[in-house]
Amino acid sequence: MTGQPLWPPPPAETEQARIIEFARYASMRTGHELTGGYRTLGEWSVRDIDGFWSAVWDHFGLPARPREQPALATEAMPGSVWFPGSQPRCRRRTRRGELG
């Protein structure tokens, strides 16, 4: 493996990718530069779990959630609690094509 992609998408397609849209949204929301690619977003997702997942929730238009609750209420493994008080039903929304 050379580490090079087999096929790079045309720049116009790249600019319209959902991950790029999300990175721009997250950059505006946080005031930090997060458009540097997957690694940049990945590092942010570990450094600021609540900020990252709250941005995912809001950007992709998931149902309302209690704002006073953190995205990850309990970090215990097993037994972590994500988005307490919410019922996102992402699978159903994804099947209907609402999440892209």
Side-chain angles (χ1 to χ4, degrees):
M1 298 209 73
T2 65
Q4 297 296 316
L6 296 175
W7 173 82
E13 287 183 29
T14 301
E15 287 300 309
Q16 295 175 3
R18 298 293 303 257
I19 191 76
I20 300 300
E21 291 174 5
F22 173 69
R24 288 184 186 131
Y25 168 81
S27 292
M28 290 188 325
R29 179 179 170 132
T30 64
H32 299 290
E33 178 54 51
L34 298 170
T35 60
Y38 290 111
R39 181 173 296 216
T40 303
L41 288 173
E43 290 170 355
W44 175 48
S45 75
V46 173
R47 185 176 62 251
D48 181 8
I49 294 170
D50 187 58
F52 176 82
W53 287 105
S54 294
V56 167
W57 188 284
D58 295 340
H59 177 73
F60 290 103
L62 297 172
R65 66 183 177 91
R67 289 284 180 208
E68 66 277 358
Q69 297 290 334
L72 179 59
T74 304
E75 294 186 37
M77 292 298 260
S80 58
V81 177
W82 289 90
F83 298 103
S86 302
Q87 296 180 336
R89 294 191 170 84
C90 292
R91 188 175 66 186
R92 184 183 313 165
R93 291 172 55 89
T94 302
R95 279 192 307 224
R96 290 192 313 228
E98 294 177 16
L99 295 179

